[in-house]
Amino acid sequence: MQHFNASRREFLRLSSLLSSAGALGVAAPFALNLATMGSAAAQGNVNDYKALICLFMYGANDHANTVLATDSTSWTQYTNVRTTNEAGSIALPAVGSSGGVLPIIPNTNQVGRTFALHPSMTELKGIFDAGRAAIVANLGPLMVPTTLEQYKAASVPLPPKLFSHNDQQSLWQAYAPEGAAYGWGGRMGDLLAANNSNPIFTAISASGNAVFLSGRSIRQYQVGNSGAVAIAGLSGSLYGSTTAGATLRNIISADTANYFQKEHAAVTNRSISAQSMLAPAMAVAGAGGIANPSQYTNPNTGLLANNALAIQLQTVARIIAGRNTLGAKRQVFFVSMGGFDTHDAQRTLQADLLAKISHAIAYFDTTMANVMGSDLRQQVTLFTASDFGRTFTSNGDGTDHGWGSHHFVVGGAVKGKNIYGDFPVTGLKHSQDVGSGSLLPQFSVDQYGATLANWFGLSTTQINDVFPNIINFNNRNLGFL
């Protein structure tokens, strides 16, 4: 009987949450709600807070100038291939040279190999050295473990539409080409939203619409740099009238028999309700430990400039600061930066792009150390993603579309100061080269995401549901958390 009472209380609690979700327009199909209730009951009440932040680098970041092998053999191959006769050579200066690459020493030795980061990533090097950042080597979309011979023979299922920006962005975020409906961030939100008092604040984008945050029941909530975006004209004076705003709200949110108008009214009311809850819950920019980001230094000009990515992460930090007011226990966020399609002028463009990435991540790391007086770094994990890597060969002063790439995971829970996976051979015509030095991934996005999901609180069954290809891989946890 005691077990029955506990289950009854859990059922009533979740029924209440699902009822409020319905009021906000995010009610799930009944079968999915039952699955969510079962998982929540199995986990018990989630009394802690965790957040995942996906930092997407649109355009495909060149991994080979981001994380580099600097041992003599590797560096010789690197300079031979990436130094051209043209003025736009993309090879970077060596360790110890003026503006040279920044040496890092992973905790796990890879025999005969030494490593470095791009010269623009000074702040991220500091976080790596402090043990709060790790590198996952040669990661990309895979359906099953694949060898070079299998790739060439097409004897195993391969990711569709490789080397296509839009499709690979979607494949990274939603394990399907362009047009995918659900992303793995949103699907994780579906399964854990019952732990949040206001499920609408489970999946939040500070960078516009992203399929990554689309769930079957959860709808991503988009915010601007100033936070929750209010519908214009519903408050204050409208056309000189103090009552016109209320009249406008009644018009646009009125119930009607017309299905299109009814849906429009539901969306409008959801937006109004969410904005009214989020706006006062968010920490004030510049207060409560949420400092305004400093300007970063453009490495090409030496001039200070604003960093839009740091401002996005400030918005995320302000929402995290309001987690208790919002009743949030699990949140997934999305931020992004474009400009990484460096077919031309790569050395100049990537230097500036990676300076912004490094500066923004360092700002966020510092901010999470003191959110309203609390150090949340153990509870917040940021990870990078991008369309794909790029070719190791140069087209003169840039690189072309590739496949596998290196990525960063940052946070207090990260088993940092390490490179996960065997760092690929530097050069051409090796066992992971599918052409022009484009890397055949050793790890799949599913393995990467499953590792994050395990830390986030998903069960093995739930991870199998969110990541449909994970059952094809023996190593389902890469160990970086």
Side-chain angles (χ1 to χ4, degrees), residues 19-76:
S19 174
S20 61
L24 290 171
V26 294
F30 185 61
L32 180 60
N33 287 344
L34 285 176
T36 304
M37 292 193 308
S39 67
Q43 296 170 32
N45 292 329
V46 179
N47 295 317
D48 61 324
Y49 174 83
K50 287 185 179 180
L52 283 172
I53 297 95
C54 175
L55 193 174
F56 205 94
M57 299 176 285
Y58 281 107
N61 177 49
D62 177 61
H63 62 285
N65 271 13
T66 302
V67 185
L68 308 90
T70 58
D71 52 274
S72 177
T73 301
S74 299
W75 194 256
T76 298

Side-chain angles (χ1 to χ4, degrees), residues 364-387:
F364 190 67
D365 176 72
T366 300
T367 300
M368 287 297 101
N370 183 28
V371 179
M372 309 295 282
S374 298
D375 186 345
L376 295 183
R377 287 178 297 185
Q378 286 282 344
Q379 296 162 267
V380 178
T381 299
L382 178 148
F383 63 96
T384 65
S386 192
D387 317 19

